[in-house]
Amino acid sequence: DGNELTAEINGQVVFQGGRLSVEPVLTVKGDVSLETGNIVFLGSVVIGGSVQDNFTVKAAGNIDVRGSVQKAFLEAEGDIIVQQGIVGRDEARIESTGGSVYTKFIQGATVVAEQDVIASEGILHSRIDAGNKVFCNGRKARIVGGQIRAGEEVNARFIGADASTKTEVRVGINPKVHQQLVDLDKVKREVDEELDKYKKNVHTLTIQKNNSGGKLPQDKEELLVKSKAQMQKLTTRQNELNLELEELKAYLGMISQKGRICAEKTLFPGVDIYVKDKKYEVKDPYNHIKITLEGDNWRFGEYETPGLSDEKTKKLKMRRRR
């Protein structure tokens, strides 16, 4: 009747991509451990305990962990909620391919979210990629160490530490696009180095051939032919990579220059800030600060609270009550 929807199955109500659906739910009463094994489920997963070392949980819906996540791998198409925090010991990977990640704290982990990463008590020495925002909203919440990348905003009570801990914060470019640029640059350097090696081989063998009256031993002649063929192949690949890089950089140049870094209490020295491709090294502490970039000029203004949707605010309140 336009006012009421009735589901054919029991499950969890999910609103994603403009569609309202009810996903079947798998409930694990205790930990994900040797007793349960890895979990792969075409719906949402609710875990009453923790996810122990070296176990995997994959879900087509949401993942809700009432305990903690250790050195494990979680992947969900919806939201991932970890009630007691993530202690990854530099090997955990948590990825939401279509939603956000909500947790108490993140330490020594890689966390990737299509939308937001929200950690109430802080992010320590981790690698965080969020399509939209990274937000630490607790009273003592801080971001210290590691690399934080967000398409729009990074907002925390404290960013960095008194000890000038190296912390990298990037905004203004979707992390996926930035990673694509980093990967292309790496491949191009590898191709350039390999091409240079074959060019030297061809140059050396050609000199030897000219000095010996236009003849080389059979093995060296074969090596010269192979080196020329490989050099031509690598030159073609080099041109393709140059074109891809030019197109990607042109696309980045067309994107409106948005992105902000906000520290409610203190932004410490030792933090490297990037808005798009511009870098600012923080050498002095700033209090109650918002940093943005206009053209080539850095702007320093009053701190602004992050703009979270009503849905995300409601989820945060529900998580705190739990």
Side-chain angles (χ1 to χ4, degrees):
D1 60 6
N3 297 312
E4 182 177 297
L5 293 172
T6 303
E8 293 182 345
I9 61 169
N10 294 321
Q12 182 177 28
V13 180
V14 176
F15 183 74
Q16 185 176 346
R19 293 184 61 186
L20 191 67
S21 60
V22 175
E23 300 285 354
V25 178
L26 172 65
T27 301
V28 178
K29 292 184 178 180
D31 295 344
V32 175
S33 61
L34 286 172
E35 292 184 6
T36 63
N38 296 327
I39 293 173
V40 179
F41 188 66
L42 294 175
S44 294
V45 177
V46 176
I47 299 164
S50 299
V51 183
Q52 296 185 2
D53 286 352
N54 304 316
F55 285 94
T56 297
V57 179
K58 293 185 179 182
N62 300 331
I63 297 175
D64 189 343
V65 182
R66 302 298 166 84
S68 63
V69 171
Q70 300 175 23
K71 189 179 67 176
F73 176 77
L74 272 62
E75 181 180 324
E77 293 179 18
D79 293 333
I80 297 177
I81 302 169
V82 182
Q83 302 290 337
Q84 298 302 318
I86 301 164
V87 184
R89 303 204 299 283
D90 298 326
E91 293 186 44
R93 181 178 176 86
I94 316 298
E95 181 171 4
S96 167
T97 60
S100 298
V101 175
Y102 302 85
T103 187
K104 194 172 184 179
F105 64 88
I106 303 167
Q107 182 173 343
T110 296
V111 177
V112 180
E114 181 68 21
Q115 297 180 22
D116 303 326
V117 174
I118 299 174
S120 61
E121 293 187 3
I123 300 170
L124 305 177
H125 306 289
S126 296
R127 183 184 178 93
I128 310 297
D129 283 355
N132 296 333
K133 299 174 184 177
V134 175
F135 179 35
C136 292
N137 65 316
R139 285 191 306 164
K140 297 181 180 180
R142 65 174 62 237
I143 295 172
V144 180
Q147 182 186 66
I148 314 297
R149 302 189 297 189
E152 297 177 9
E153 178 180 359
V154 173
N155 195 311
R157 295 274 281 185
F158 300 89
I159 302 177
D162 287 322
S164 297
T165 305
K166 201 67 176 176
T167 307
E168 182 179 307
V169 180
R170 290 180 176 267
V171 296
I173 301 175
N174 187 295
K176 288 183 179 178
V177 177
H178 181 263
Q179 191 60 50
Q180 187 180 354
L181 185 61
V182 170
D183 293 343
L184 275 174
D185 270 327
K186 181 182 177 183
V187 172
K188 185 180 179 302
R189 285 197 304 271
E190 291 172 352
V191 169
D192 288 347
E193 289 173 7
E194 195 173 359
L195 179 58
D196 188 56
K197 181 182 73 176
Y198 280 104
K199 281 182 176 179
K200 288 177 180 176
N201 285 346
V202 169
H203 179 71
T204 301
L205 290 168
T206 301
I207 290 174
Q208 291 177 5
K209 188 173 182 177
N210 291 338
N211 291 340
S212 59
K215 291 185 178 181
L216 281 174
Q218 186 176 352
D219 58 338
K220 288 192 174 182
E221 186 65 41
E222 289 175 357
L223 180 60
L224 178 60
V225 172
K226 287 180 180 178
S227 295
K228 285 183 176 179
Q230 192 65 19
M231 191 174 74
Q232 186 175 2
K233 182 179 177 182
L234 287 168
T235 301
T236 301
R237 179 60 178 147
Q238 185 187 58
N239 292 334
E240 291 172 351
L241 287 167
N242 285 334
L243 182 59
E244 286 183 56
L245 281 167
E246 286 176 12
E247 290 176 347
L248 188 56
K249 287 176 180 178
Y251 165 73
L252 292 175
M254 291 168 58
I255 297 175
S256 59
Q257 207 163 56
K258 63 178 182 178
R260 64 181 189 175
I261 294 94
C262 300
E264 185 177 1
K265 290 294 184 182
T266 308
L267 171 65
F268 289 93
V271 177
D272 288 341
I273 287 173
Y274 294 82
V275 177
K276 295 185 72 175
D277 59 344
K278 302 295 182 184
K279 179 181 179 181
Y280 179 77
E281 295 182 19
V282 180
K283 296 181 179 178
D284 299 297
Y286 292 89
N287 297 319
H288 205 68
I289 189 77
K290 176 187 74 172
I291 298 179
T292 56
L293 185 70
E294 292 182 14
D296 290 329
N297 299 315
W298 293 99
R299 302 295 184 190
F300 302 85
E302 289 289 318
Y303 170 81
E304 291 183 15
T305 56
L308 290 176
S309 66
D310 292 340
E311 179 189 358
K312 293 184 186 298
T313 303
K314 193 179 295 182
K315 284 183 179 180
L316 277 173
K317 289 178 180 177
M318 287 175 63
R319 197 188 63 73
R320 289 195 191 107
R321 285 201 295 268
R322 288 173 180 172

